[in-house]
Amino acid sequence: MTDATPHRRDLLALTLLAATGVLPATAGAAAVAADHFAPPGGDAEARRIWARLNADLSGRTVFFHTHGAVWGFKPQADDLPLADFARRHYGYTSLIARKALKGADGAIVIRQKSWVFYRDPETDEITDQVPNPYTGAIDHAAPMSGPVGERSLAPGAPSPGTPAYPVETSTPKVAYDMRIRRIGGRAWVTTSSFTRLKPGGIGWWKLEGELGSFACRAADLDNPKLTHLPSTWSQNLVAEWQTWTGMHGQPGHILFKGDGAALAGPEEIPTDLMAAIARFFPGTFAPVVAWDR
């Protein structure tokens, strides 16, 4: 999650890349060695799994809510005080609306709209003024509203959420670095993404690494009739200091730790998030609700 454009904010919940594995019911070294392998459907299946987790192939609009905190970390040093090693910097919350459509070529197309806000690290209130625990300044953390956009999930198409500005990504064997692990009746769909990007308005490249994990019922994952997979989502994203903090070039980095889930409907969206959308981006929510009318 970086500054500059709403497109990049969508990567909070839109980074998935390549191979899938299944944990056998048997135990032992042989079972562990066979834990990861590409899905029978390859790239197309990985993209379909992504769509079932993040959207609904029936065409129903899915509202995906994420919340979390961002921590700052200083580099390891023998004389670094433990109290200075890690500090809670700020919180964040986001809402992404996604609707699955069928493209002209038969591929899945995802229409989406996003909103992202910051939270005060102490009160947890949504705010655009964040106290900086490193500089002592009050930083302006502008909320963001991504434009409505559509992305094809056809094999070979750019990954969902790919920004418009210059970007490099690690190149896995297929489109998503996706692995599946089963324990009992549960399944974890884990993902990883590593990106070098240059948002508009800055003169340097940023590096980011994101690790995500969806937890769902194994029976749901294996049921091809289910158009949406109920799940919970967790995220860890490592990045440089955000540009709006004025800390570019200082030693250290930030870590996003977030959790999320698809909501049953717009009625489950937290009231403070709805109030923030109405305050900062009035009139942007009603058109999304109309997608299903």
Side-chain angles (χ1 to χ4, degrees):
M1 178 177 175
T2 60
D3 54 287
T5 79
H7 296 284
R8 186 59 191 157
R9 304 295 182 159
D10 295 347
L11 293 180
L12 284 173
L14 285 174
T15 47
L16 295 174
L17 299 174
T20 303
V22 176
L23 181 65
T26 57
V32 173
D35 191 36
H36 304 297
F37 58 91
D43 182 2
E45 182 178 348
R47 291 172 182 265
R48 183 176 175 84
I49 290 173
W50 185 91
R52 294 169 69 206
L53 286 164
N54 289 275
D56 191 328
L57 298 182
S58 72
R60 175 182 66 90
T61 299
V62 171
F63 292 90
F64 205 99
H65 174 238
T66 301
H67 65 92
V70 175
W71 295 77
F73 287 87
K74 290 291 188 177
Q76 169 67 40
D78 290 346
D79 59 350
L80 178 68
L82 186 58
D84 294 339
F85 171 56
R87 295 181 182 177
R88 185 189 294 269
H89 200 160
Y90 50 86
Y92 67 93
T93 189
S94 70
L95 181 70
I96 301 179
R98 299 189 183 97
K99 186 177 182 66
L101 309 169
K102 184 168 290 187
D105 57 358
I108 301 168
V109 173
I110 300 295
R111 175 188 298 164
Q112 71 174 47
K113 164 74 178 172
S114 64
W115 299 266
V116 180
F117 300 93
Y118 295 94
R119 291 184 179 274
D120 184 278
E122 299 300 326
T123 67
D124 203 40
E125 293 181 357
I126 292 176
T127 179
D128 60 353
Q129 303 294 319
V130 174
N132 191 316
Y134 296 97
T135 66
I138 301 296
D139 296 324
H140 178 61
M144 306 207 72
S145 174
V148 176
E150 294 184 359
R151 294 280 183 174
S152 171
L153 295 190
S159 298
T162 301
Y165 44 78
V167 61
E168 298 177 13
T169 59
S170 57
T171 305
K173 294 180 180 178
V174 292
Y176 302 119
D177 183 14
M178 179 188 294
R179 300 174 185 267
I180 297 175
R181 174 160 298 183
R182 302 162 187 269
I183 301 177
R186 298 179 177 86
W188 283 263
V189 182
T190 61
T191 65
S192 61
S193 173
F194 304 93
T195 307
R196 183 191 305 272
L197 64 148
K198 185 186 287 187
I202 67 171
W204 65 91
W205 288 87
K206 291 172 171 279
L207 292 173
E208 293 186 358
E210 183 171 16
L211 307 176
S213 182
F214 293 89
C216 64
R217 295 176 67 246
D220 289 346
L221 183 64
D222 296 335
N223 183 355
K225 295 182 180 180
L226 281 183
T227 57
H228 171 70
L229 298 177
S231 65
T232 56
W233 181 74
S234 61
Q235 171 211 42
N236 289 283
L237 186 149
V238 178
E240 75 155 336
W241 309 105
Q242 289 192 267
T243 308
W244 50 262
T245 64
M247 296 177 64
H248 173 64
Q250 292 193 28
H253 65 274
I254 56 176
L255 171 70
F256 287 78
K257 175 64 182 77
D259 299 284
L263 306 178
E267 67 278 1
E268 287 193 349
I269 299 173
T271 55
D272 65 340
L273 183 50
M274 287 297 299
I277 293 174
R279 172 189 172 191
F280 290 101
F281 307 106
T284 61
F285 187 76
V288 174
V289 176
W291 288 356
D292 289 350
R293 292 176 182 167

